[in-house]
Amino acid sequence: MSQRPTVTRGDRRVRFAPRIDALLRRHTGQELFRLEPTTIGVAGADLMDALLRSRPANAEERPTFKPVLGRQVGRTDAAAYMQALGADVRKALQRPLETSVDLTGTWPAVPHAYLRDLVFGQELGRLRILVDRRLELTPKLTWSAVASGAALLRRPDPAEPLSKLATLALGAAGYADRRYALYLYRRVAAPICFTVAALVTNAVWLGAPFDDAVPNRQLLAEALRLLPPSWNILRMASPELTAVDDRIGPTDDVLLLPLLSHRDPALWEDPDAFRPERWADLDPDNHPGYLPFGHADERCWARHMVLPLAERILDLVRRDGLTVRPTQTVGQVELDGLMEVAEVRVTRG
């Protein structure tokens, strides 16, 4: 069976992992369907809206602030870590664009390293490792890095140039609290780098070299439509979901799929084509079925950090004339946590 087409600039194409491709081929345009014996898929814009309004996400459904070693992450801690990271990102964005940065190479690894150094470049080594891509290979690596950091990291000297996020995490007293704090550091610091790197890689693959007349925000909105890094939203079985639609049983989990609603032909003209100029007349905050950062009632906490950081990288891409190596015509999207085109070879145009 041929792959579902994604129209990009030039002759590049996206090749999805088989299970993602099957989702796109079988269920695009469908409102509700059964994925597994106890899992319902939902891609209808109105039904997704009703289900997400029916109740807030519970502790297990929040990707960033799930319980840590059985310990609940309260609103106070979540807010403190979000505010600290926000301050660090704002400070990083105030720096002028680097004059000699080299972003050629294999993406998304290259932009991830750039973001790590931009926001966390002055951190202690045992903190910087918590933002490393290699920790994603297995959870054991993450737990090992967190545990060793909690055991060996000392309290910082006030004169050390640490981020606000690091200062917050290192202020914990006692091994158990330090381990909890460092895991939260990983939970908020690494996803910023992962998400932005995935987003800009997808945008470069879909549209580089970019039309000078198309703003970065339109490029990013369209990349988020076709290849949303966060492409599904889980809601576990609950009476509120069944009350919205009786096709959802009392033991059914619900997987809401922006990946599909973003390509619904009832909602989008030429839905499989990369057309960033469409966003000149559309509002990404309220377009039906468009949920790259979640529902309006629970927007992703990092949204206002992700987009400015992504725009900064696209400014560098445009300035330095970067594009995909012409010999690479297939971009592979694996079935991983984030949706991203893997191993894009970026060069100067």
Side-chain angles (χ1 to χ4, degrees):
M1 180 182 293
S2 60
Q3 291 271 320
R4 181 182 177 89
T6 295
V7 180
T8 63
R9 190 179 181 95
D11 59 355
R12 296 193 293 268
R13 65 185 178 92
V14 176
R15 183 168 62 202
F16 292 102
R19 290 183 65 184
I20 299 176
D21 187 62
L23 268 179
L24 288 165
R25 288 192 169 277
R26 295 171 186 170
H27 301 301
T28 298
Q30 294 183 8
E31 180 187 50
L32 179 148
F33 41 90
R34 185 163 292 280
L35 287 170
E36 303 288 347
T38 58
T39 305
I40 294 288
V42 174
D46 291 341
L47 183 54
M48 287 199 301
D49 179 71
L51 291 168
L52 290 169
R53 288 185 187 279
S54 69
R55 66 166 176 80
N58 64 36
E60 293 292 341
E61 294 164 348
R62 296 182 297 169
T64 301
F65 295 115
K66 290 180 180 179
V68 176
L69 289 174
R71 178 173 173 175
Q72 297 291 323
V73 181
R75 289 186 178 275
T76 300
D77 283 347
Y81 277 81
M82 287 190 293
Q83 290 165 6
L85 179 60
D88 292 330
V89 168
R90 288 192 296 273
K91 182 178 179 180
L93 288 169
Q94 289 171 0
R95 300 175 195 164
L97 286 182
E98 298 84 352
T99 58
S100 60
V101 66
D102 182 5
L103 295 181
T104 61
T106 303
W107 287 36
V110 166
H112 182 108
Y114 168 81
L115 292 161
R116 179 200 61 204
D117 293 343
L118 176 70
V119 183
F120 308 108
Q122 295 180 320
E123 304 284 54
L124 302 172
R126 286 188 177 276
L127 290 173
R128 282 170 55 84
I129 194 64
L130 296 178
V131 193
D132 198 287
R133 294 181 69 84
R134 290 170 293 181
L135 293 191
E136 292 298 296
L137 294 174
T138 169
K140 290 182 179 179
L141 287 175
T142 300
W143 285 117
S144 176
V146 167
S148 62
L152 299 174
L153 274 174
R154 54 178 171 78
R155 284 181 177 271
D157 186 304
E160 288 186 270
L162 295 175
S163 68
K164 288 188 178 296
L165 186 61
T167 302
L168 178 64
L170 292 176
Y175 175 75
D177 285 346
R178 282 200 303 273
R179 187 171 60 166
Y180 168 79
L182 290 179
Y183 203 83
L184 285 185
Y185 178 100
R186 162 74 180 176
R187 286 266 191 93
V188 299
I192 281 289
C193 297
F194 277 109
T195 302
V196 176
L199 173 54
V200 294
T201 299
N202 294 345
V204 166
W205 179 261
L206 291 167
F210 302 123
D211 186 335
D212 290 341
V214 180
N216 284 339
R217 283 291 170 114
Q218 292 180 17
L219 293 170
L220 294 171
E222 187 71 344
L224 285 165
R225 186 183 71 82
L226 285 172
L227 294 172
S230 297
W231 58 278
N232 63 77
I233 303 169
L234 175 67
R235 288 294 181 265
M236 296 178 179
S238 66
E240 295 89 346
L241 305 180
T242 302
V244 170
D245 194 309
D246 60 13
R247 291 175 292 178
I248 301 171
T251 61
D252 283 333
D253 295 333
V254 173
L255 193 66
L256 301 108
L257 291 158
L259 173 66
L260 302 187
S261 64
H262 287 188
R263 293 169 181 255
D264 188 337
L267 301 175
W268 309 94
E269 182 180 346
D270 201 3
D272 290 314
F274 181 73
R275 290 176 47 186
E277 63 276 6
R278 75 172 82 231
W279 292 99
D281 301 315
L282 301 178
D283 186 348
D285 286 332
N286 61 26
H287 192 283
Y290 186 67
L291 302 171
F293 294 104
H295 191 259
D297 289 353
E298 292 182 305
R299 291 278 192 223
C300 172
W301 55 268
R303 178 189 182 196
H304 296 297
M305 297 177 243
V306 166
L307 292 176
L309 287 169
E311 287 187 282
R312 181 186 179 98
I313 295 177
L314 292 191
D315 284 341
L316 292 168
V317 168
R318 289 177 185 266
R319 186 197 70 186
D320 295 343
L322 303 184
T323 189
V324 179
R325 185 180 296 173
T327 54
Q328 185 178 4
T329 59
V330 176
Q332 182 69 31
V333 174
E334 302 292 352
L335 185 59
D336 291 328
L338 291 179
M339 177 165 286
E340 62 185 8
V341 184
E343 298 189 6
V344 175
R345 294 181 289 279
V346 171
T347 186
R348 295 183 186 275

